[in-house]
Amino acid sequence: MPTGIHRSRLRDHFRALLQLNHLRVTPERLIVFDEICSLQTHFDADDILARLKQRHAAISRATVYRTIELLEKYGVIRRSKLTGVKSHFELTLERRHHEHMICTSCGKVIEFESKGIESIQQVICREYHFTMTYHYLHIFGICDDCAKR
Amino acid sequence: MPTGIHRSRLRDHFRALLQLNHLRVTPERLIVFDEICSLQTHFDADDILARLKQRHAAISRATVYRTIELLEKYGVIRRSKLTGVKSHFELTLERRHHEHMICTSCGKVIEFESKGIESIQQVICREYHFTMTYHYLHIFGICDDCAKR
DNA sequence: GTATATGCAAAGTATTTGCATTAGG
DNA sequence: CCTAATGCAAATACTTTGCATATAC
């Protein structure tokens, strides 16, 4: 899915993604997708189920799981197991790809971009015959301000 | 726990950690800890159970889970945000740094090293006056085998 | 001796799946 | 039409927990 898409056009892109992959555009899929897009944070399957219930959209648990699986497979959302038990997901609508540098002392997050890392990744993925959908680089350490203290 | 400890001394450090925290040094804990140290990759609870069984060490599932929880709590292992339903862990010391490539279809994790990424990071950290303690690069996508299906 | 750790089995969550039914292309 | 998608309920996977027993200190 392309980056930097305006919210109102997301649904059209999802529809296109389904059609391109010979998958059916069902109301259930569109509703689950809309719900995920409306979330501004990480979510898990139950979050979606709860919000659907609140909206009186009777979509089954199985369909929610299956739609999440589909979205992950096509790189629309990504899984990150934050807690010990459930899987958490996040929409991959990166405005522009960036990496994170996290200060373990004050918690500050510095975002940066690196052409070099992107190209190294391409080389590595080719070497392993791996088709990348997304990546993230997290650098942990001590920021300038904290080092001075 | 200090880093860069020789393998044979790891057990002593674990023992000290337990004593310092008024926890009991039980054979079960030592065996589970040794097993984790002997692994060269990330692992999950079942990996440990399977290896223990193979070694005819009859340690219960509950104890393995409880020991893993303890080790995570004291920072000896860390939960890594990989894919799938299980929780994966990694020893926080003694490992040579490596990156992860995760197949979002089958869950396979490919580890690799990259000198290039290391050096780019050094440049970036210098630019931001950031003192790195550790980092991880996760590349998500579809592996060769899954792409063929 | 006493409190903590273990083992077992049962309970608790999260997720997946088989199958009959529905509906998109 | 035909096949993929849905809903339901049952199955499975992973993890936690209550309790009696064992054991480290």
Side-chain angles (χ1 to χ4, degrees):
Chain A
M1 180 161 306
T3 58
I5 304 162
H6 187 279
R7 177 74 57 79
S8 64
R9 313 201 83 183
L10 287 173
R11 186 191 265 243
D12 291 340
H13 282 272
F14 178 47
R15 201 186 284 272
L17 181 153
L18 291 173
Q19 286 169 341
L20 270 167
N21 292 285
H22 309 292
L23 296 166
R24 293 182 181 169
V25 178
T26 66
E28 289 84 357
R29 283 175 174 167
L30 293 175
I31 291 169
V32 170
F33 177 73
D34 283 352
E35 207 54 61
I36 288 173
C37 289
S38 79
L39 282 163
Q40 293 297 307
T41 54
H42 285 260
F43 63 91
D44 60 40
D46 262 332
D47 293 333
I48 301 301
L49 254 335
R51 289 176 66 108
L52 291 174
K53 194 177 178 183
Q54 198 180 309
R55 270 160 154 269
H56 306 290
I59 294 173
S60 76
R61 181 167 289 274
T63 297
V64 168
Y65 272 102
R66 285 190 278 232
T67 304
I68 285 174
E69 183 187 30
L70 185 161
L71 291 171
E72 188 191 6
K73 179 173 174 189
Y74 288 96
V76 179
I77 59 176
R78 59 186 175 210
R79 185 189 300 260
S80 73
K81 219 166 154 52
L82 299 172
T83 71
V85 198
K86 312 183 184 182
S87 283
H88 284 245
F89 299 87
E90 195 178 33
L91 201 56
T92 350
L93 317 159
E94 300 278 359
R95 328 74 103 169
R96 199 165 154 178
H97 189 78
H98 57 272
E99 317 296 350
H100 290 140
M101 215 179 254
I102 301 116
C103 178
T104 51
S105 174
C106 69
K108 183 163 69 189
V109 178
I110 301 166
E111 294 185 352
F112 65 95
E113 292 180 30
S114 168
K115 266 261 174 266
I117 286 170
E118 308 283 340
S119 68
I120 285 174
Q121 277 176 143
Q122 282 179 17
V123 173
I124 290 164
C125 287
R126 197 169 306 132
E127 186 183 334
Y128 288 90
H129 304 288
F130 194 85
T131 312
M132 181 173 91
T133 47
Y134 68 94
H135 74 268
Y136 51 77
L137 170 64
H138 285 178
I139 300 181
F140 295 85
I142 306 296
C143 74
D144 199 20
D145 296 339
C146 289
K148 284 174 188 158
R149 279 175 213 139
Chain B
M1 185 171 295
T3 57
I5 305 161
H6 187 278
R7 176 75 58 79
S8 64
R9 313 202 83 185
L10 286 173
R11 185 191 263 244
D12 292 338
H13 282 273
F14 178 47
R15 201 186 283 274
L17 180 153
L18 290 173
Q19 286 167 341
L20 271 167
N21 292 284
H22 310 292
L23 296 166
R24 292 182 180 168
V25 178
T26 65
E28 289 84 357
R29 283 175 174 167
L30 293 175
I31 291 168
V32 171
F33 177 73
D34 282 352
E35 206 54 62
I36 287 173
C37 290
S38 79
L39 282 163
Q40 293 299 304
T41 55
H42 52 85
F43 62 91
D44 60 41
D46 262 330
D47 293 332
I48 302 300
L49 255 331
R51 290 176 67 108
L52 291 174
K53 193 176 179 183
Q54 197 180 310
R55 271 159 153 268
H56 307 289
I59 295 174
S60 74
R61 180 168 291 274
T63 296
V64 169
Y65 272 100
R66 286 189 278 231
T67 304
I68 285 175
E69 182 187 28
L70 184 161
L71 291 171
E72 190 191 6
K73 179 176 174 185
Y74 289 95
V76 179
I77 58 176
R78 62 172 166 240
R79 199 182 291 270
S80 49
K81 304 176 202 169
L82 298 178
T83 189
V85 286
K86 303 182 187 185
S87 283
H88 284 245
F89 299 87
E90 218 175 17
L91 200 57
T92 49
L93 34 119
E94 283 277 300
R95 285 294 318 271
R96 188 155 158 192
H97 189 77
H98 59 273
E99 316 297 348
H100 289 139
M101 217 180 255
I102 302 116
C103 178
T104 52
S105 174
C106 69
K108 183 164 69 190
V109 178
I110 302 166
E111 295 185 351
F112 66 95
E113 291 181 27
S114 168
K115 266 262 173 262
I117 285 170
E118 307 281 341
S119 67
I120 286 174
Q121 276 175 144
Q122 282 179 17
V123 173
I124 289 164
C125 288
R126 196 169 308 132
E127 186 185 332
Y128 288 91
H129 304 287
F130 194 85
T131 312
M132 181 173 92
T133 47
Y134 71 96
H135 75 269
Y136 52 77
L137 171 64
H138 285 179
I139 299 180
F140 293 84
I142 306 296
C143 74
D144 200 19
D145 295 340
C146 289
K148 283 174 191 158
R149 280 175 210 137

